[in-house]
Amino acid sequence: MNSQSNGSQDLFAGNDMTDYLAELNDRQSQAVLHSDGPLLIIAGAGSGKTRVLTYRIAQLLAAKKSWASEILALTFTNKAAREMRERIEHIIGPEANKLWMGTFHSIFTRILRMEAEHVGYKQDFSIYDSDDSDRVVKGVLQELRIDPREIKPKQIRFRISGAKNQMISAEEYAAKFVQSSLDDIAAQVFKIYNNRLKQSNAMDFDDLLIKPIELFETHPEILEKYQDRFKYIMIDEYQDTNRAQYIVTKMLASKRENICVVGDDAQSIYSFRGADISNILNFKEDYSNATQISLEQNYRSTQAILKCADAIIKQNKQQLEKTLWTENPKGNPITLLDNFNEREEAQRVAQHIRNVRMKEGYRFNEIAILYRTNYQSRVFEEALRRKDVPYQLVGGISFYQRKEVKDVIAYLRLLVNPTDEEAILRVINEPARGVGQKSLQTLVSLARQNDTTLWEVLQNPVMLTDVYKPAQARVREFISILDECRQELGGKSLVDTTRDILDKTGYVKQFIEENSQESLGRRENVMELLNAISYFERSRENASLSAFLQEVSLVSDVDNMEKDTPAVTLMTVHASKGLEFPVVFVVGMEEELFPMGGRNGEEADI
């Protein structure tokens, strides 16, 4: 970079990078100071990879290698992105806000919103979560006269998602991947499902990764624009990338090859979600001039824990060689509890928690119980309640998955994207306004027959004549409320807009009138959503409804976790990735459960 403004020259005033580099060991320093060309950092557990990534970005800016806005840093959780951005801001100041840093989904959503018209979408497209996608699949199954009680929508959506992750189109799936009757049904649903999303101006989570590839393939000039924009690309947890993530980042890096990936093949635990460990194992084949640096000093664990973990990892058939070591004390031996059944296990874990609290003074929020799957939490919840141990559950039904919260968000989605069919179907009769199931089926049939959107049908007086007369008036009332609130969108705060639509639809009023404990609890959840919208609006410059909806759609279970809450944390092993707790209980270590399912002859998976 030839020149920088005075503001950038003063970027590190009072923050000498030499002081920060002094905190690093030799391997960490090598990784931080490596600038141009591909770099593979094999970061063993607890080896300080976040610090390395943070300091590496700060060093690139300090050495005037690029502007902050020319660095792309991709993470797997919003939490990891927030922590890294905060650390970088501590070193370089507010310039950190100009970094392109976030999860794959959030960064590529940002690009897709800017380039939406080039992939046949409007800028304010909706993002469908797995629940929304399941409902669309269910609707398609019913259209095909397949009973969703016999063929579960989740089974079909799982196959569609797997195909998308592997960059397999609906046409290719139908031609090459049908090996069972379930595959055949999935192939039929796949094509219609994609069309439904397109008509609704909506994308699912997988689309957020594959649409950028389509964009770059069909518009090489746009690819070149982003290749020029991003001088340096960094990817955390590279072992967890799937094929689509691998391809899109390879496309972006192909011009300069200033790509730095950080990961550990021994921490690859997301193959069931499409993660492809070969991405990290073959990195040096993709980039023949790549530098490899292994971070092997562990700063987190005791020698006893490290020795035990290493004995297991050494059994892996495919791995990148490394030997973790630590200067930490030997520590207490690992305790193995052999139990008669899950109830005894839960009771003994609860008692152990009481013991470590009294004898060693650990706080409840320093303790975690990890299991393989969410249903295992129930017996531990019961045991902790009996021992009067407070706990928080990460996973299960999160706040944003509660029905009343999703209903309100569906109304808000319709303000920015009225063609969102899933949102229409969700709230057109919520609260009940006389648009029954029969009327809804007629409306949907009219949309299909005329190859148009459900929103177009609702707005067309001629088409509405086919609907039961009292329902016609209710539909017009529904449309009128949405149109009125949409027109006022720019002139009101987001909170006032939400209150407005709640008042005009009578959504909260129904809970007050019902006046049961359950309905009042639902009202409290809606009030909490208003608080969340208010906080979003206060904490963001130029906060828009579209931006709020995007953030909500990409929130994860871990993002909702309160780490300072005085409570034991219960969560799956997968959800715990990247978190740290001084005291950890890993439970349900049984055949067929950890790992799940029959694994006969699949030693590589074990």
Side-chain angles (χ1 to χ4, degrees):
M1 210 157 63
N2 296 325
S3 64
Q4 288 192 341
S5 68
N6 289 335
S8 290
Q9 286 173 347
D10 294 333
L11 199 62
F12 292 88
N15 286 326
D16 188 350
M17 275 305 295
T18 311
D19 295 337
Y20 288 101
L21 293 173
E23 299 173 10
L24 306 176
N25 64 37
D26 288 344
R27 297 272 183 88
Q28 290 174 333
S29 291
Q30 287 173 36
V32 167
L33 293 171
H34 179 282
S35 58
D36 292 356
L39 173 64
L40 170 62
I41 302 173
I42 304 300
S47 61
K49 71 174 174 100
T50 305
R51 173 178 285 190
V52 167
L53 276 174
T54 303
Y55 288 8
R56 180 175 157 75
I57 292 170
Q59 174 62 22
L60 287 170
L61 296 171
K64 297 184 173 59
K65 286 280 188 180
S66 77
W67 303 97
S69 59
E70 295 171 327
I71 294 176
L72 172 63
L74 296 164
T75 65
F76 270 81
T77 65
N78 296 309
K79 178 179 175 292
R82 267 197 311 272
E83 284 183 1
M84 281 178 59
R85 191 184 294 277
E86 285 167 7
R87 290 195 199 188
I88 294 167
E89 190 171 0
H90 180 71
I91 300 173
I92 71 171
E95 189 78 1
N97 291 319
K98 296 177 184 175
L99 293 163
W100 280 66
M101 177 178 285
T103 63
F104 276 88
H105 290 95
S106 66
I107 291 294
F108 288 108
T109 299
R110 184 176 168 186
I111 290 173
L112 286 168
R113 291 220 188 273
M114 291 191 287
E115 312 293 347
E117 64 186 67
H118 295 293
V119 285
Y121 280 77
K122 292 175 185 168
Q123 195 173 41
D124 284 326
F125 59 80
S126 299
I127 300 172
Y128 281 6
D129 64 16
S130 54
D131 181 49
D132 296 322
S133 295
D134 284 344
R135 285 164 62 105
V136 177
V137 169
K138 182 180 178 182
V140 176
L141 287 170
Q142 288 169 331
E143 285 175 43
L144 296 171
R145 302 189 186 284
I146 297 168
D147 190 344
R149 289 171 299 185
E150 292 182 14
I151 303 297
K152 299 285 187 265
K154 279 188 193 306
Q155 291 177 296
I156 303 301
R157 199 248 308 161
F158 182 77
R159 279 169 165 73
I160 293 172
S161 178
K164 285 187 174 188
N165 278 329
Q166 294 300 316
M167 300 298 299
I168 298 165
S169 68
E171 292 73 21
E172 191 182 354
Y173 186 87
K176 299 179 183 176
F177 294 91
V178 174
Q179 297 177 337
S180 67
S181 58
L182 204 58
D183 290 338
D184 185 43
I185 293 169
Q188 294 176 62
V189 172
F190 196 168
K191 189 173 182 181
I192 303 171
Y193 170 82
N194 279 348
N195 290 340
R196 292 286 173 272
L197 263 62
K198 189 75 180 287
Q199 282 183 322
S200 296
N201 190 35
M203 298 189 195
D204 62 19
F205 283 168
D206 301 310
D207 289 331
L208 299 178
L209 299 177
I210 62 174
K211 293 295 179 189
I213 297 172
E214 290 176 19
L215 170 71
F216 294 153
E217 284 178 342
T218 53
H219 295 277
E221 75 284 1
I222 294 176
L223 171 60
E224 189 171 11
K225 178 174 84 172
Y226 287 99
Q227 287 174 334
D228 290 338
R229 176 188 281 273
F230 301 130
K231 289 187 176 177
Y232 292 91
I233 298 172
M234 281 170 244
I235 307 172
D236 192 14
E237 305 284 7
Y238 193 63
Q239 76 281 348
D240 292 331
T241 51
N242 61 27
R243 179 152 183 79
Q245 289 161 331
Y246 163 79
I247 289 171
V248 74
T249 50
K250 198 166 191 292
M251 292 172 88
L252 286 171
S254 62
K255 192 168 185 178
R256 288 189 177 87
E257 293 198 341
N258 286 336
I259 181 170
C260 165
V261 304
V262 183
D264 179 7
D265 53 303
Q267 295 183 57
S268 177
I269 59 171
Y270 285 111
S271 60
F272 70 98
R273 288 189 195 166
D276 186 350
I277 195 172
S278 68
N279 293 346
I280 192 168
L281 294 175
N282 299 336
F283 183 81
K284 293 178 81 173
E285 291 178 23
D286 288 331
Y287 302 95
S288 56
N289 59 330
T291 301
Q292 177 176 327
I293 298 171
S294 297
L295 306 181
E296 296 179 323
Q297 183 173 358
N298 176 292
Y299 292 93
R300 180 189 300 155
S301 307
T302 61
Q303 291 178 24
I305 290 173
L306 209 59
K307 187 177 179 183
C308 177
D310 194 49
I312 295 168
I313 291 167
K314 288 294 185 197
Q315 307 302 317
N316 287 352
K317 297 283 186 283
Q318 280 186 301
Q319 60 175 296
L320 297 166
E321 287 298 326
K322 61 187 170 301
T323 304
L324 291 187
W325 59 277
T326 184
E327 292 178 345
N328 291 343
K330 185 175 182 181
N332 297 327
I334 291 168
T335 303
L336 176 65
L337 295 177
D338 192 5
N339 303 290
F340 180 68
N341 58 28
E342 71 273 19
R343 290 190 176 281
E344 183 189 17
E345 178 183 40
Q347 288 162 11
R348 292 181 72 188
V349 167
Q351 186 56 51
H352 267 263
I353 289 171
R354 301 290 304 181
N355 293 346
V356 297
R357 277 262 302 163
M358 287 192 297
K359 292 178 182 175
E360 300 180 50
Y362 286 109
R363 299 190 299 274
F364 284 127
N365 63 320
E366 295 180 310
I367 302 170
I369 300 174
L370 310 182
Y371 34 76
R372 174 59 186 84
T373 188
N374 280 312
Y375 78 78
Q376 291 172 266
S377 73
R378 187 181 60 82
V379 289
F380 291 93
E381 290 182 69
E382 290 174 2
L384 294 174
R385 280 198 295 268
R386 279 197 295 272
K387 292 286 185 184
D388 201 25
V389 174
Y391 64 88
Q392 65 170 327
L393 199 61
V394 177
I397 297 179
S398 69
F399 176 75
Y400 288 106
Q401 291 298 316
R402 296 181 189 280
K403 181 190 179 301
E404 56 277 12
V405 174
K406 290 207 76 166
D407 286 349
V408 178
I409 286 171
Y411 271 115
L412 297 177
R413 272 166 39 182
L414 288 173
L415 295 187
V416 296
N417 177 21
T419 57
D420 185 337
E421 184 173 297
E422 190 46 48
I424 293 171
L425 292 172
R426 186 173 191 98
V427 295
I428 193 169
N429 201 41
E430 218 25 273
R433 55 170 61 88
V435 186
Q437 202 59 40
K438 191 173 179 182
S439 295
L440 263 181
Q441 286 170 354
T442 303
L443 290 165
V444 170
S445 295
L446 285 166
R448 303 295 178 254
Q449 288 162 19
N450 292 277
D451 193 26
T452 188
T453 65
L454 183 54
W455 180 251
E456 287 293 325
V457 172
L458 298 181
Q459 288 186 305
N460 190 320
V462 177
M463 289 188 186
L464 280 182
T465 55
D466 288 350
V467 179
Y468 182 54
K469 206 156 194 176
Q472 292 178 35
R474 298 306 185 195
V475 167
R476 283 194 289 271
E477 182 186 308
F478 175 70
I479 293 286
S480 174
I481 290 170
L482 290 173
D483 283 343
E484 193 179 330
C485 290
R486 190 178 302 110
Q487 286 166 11
E488 297 172 350
L489 193 56
K492 288 185 174 181
S493 70
L494 301 186
V495 170
D496 286 342
T497 298
T498 310
R499 284 203 181 100
D500 204 24
I501 206 161
L502 291 173
D503 289 342
K504 286 173 177 168
T505 58
Y507 190 81
V508 173
K509 186 181 175 186
Q510 66 177 328
F511 300 140
I512 297 168
E513 288 175 350
E514 187 181 324
N515 199 31
S516 67
Q517 192 169 352
E518 183 185 355
S519 70
L520 293 177
R522 288 183 170 183
R523 178 184 176 275
E524 288 304 313
N525 285 334
V526 174
M527 294 303 106
E528 184 55 36
L529 177 61
L530 283 170
N531 289 338
I533 294 170
S534 176
Y535 176 77
F536 176 84
E537 207 162 15
R538 289 195 314 271
S539 59
R540 302 296 168 90
E541 285 184 41
N542 306 315
S544 68
L545 182 54
S546 185
F548 174 74
L549 292 172
Q550 177 173 314
E551 183 163 296
V552 166
S553 66
L554 298 177
V555 78
S556 70
D557 292 335
V558 175
D559 294 324
N560 290 323
M561 192 185 99
E562 298 289 342
K563 66 178 181 181
D564 296 324
T565 299
V568 172
T569 300
L570 275 66
M571 66 201 312
T572 64
V573 169
H574 291 91
S576 73
K577 202 159 190 303
L579 302 178
E580 294 184 29
F581 297 93
V583 181
V584 177
F585 296 86
V586 187
V587 299
M589 302 286 282
E590 302 163 24
E591 292 288 351
E592 308 296 305
L593 183 56
F594 208 118
M596 285 189 79
R599 298 285 181 175
N600 294 337
E602 297 183 45
E603 290 298 314
D605 288 344
I606 292 173

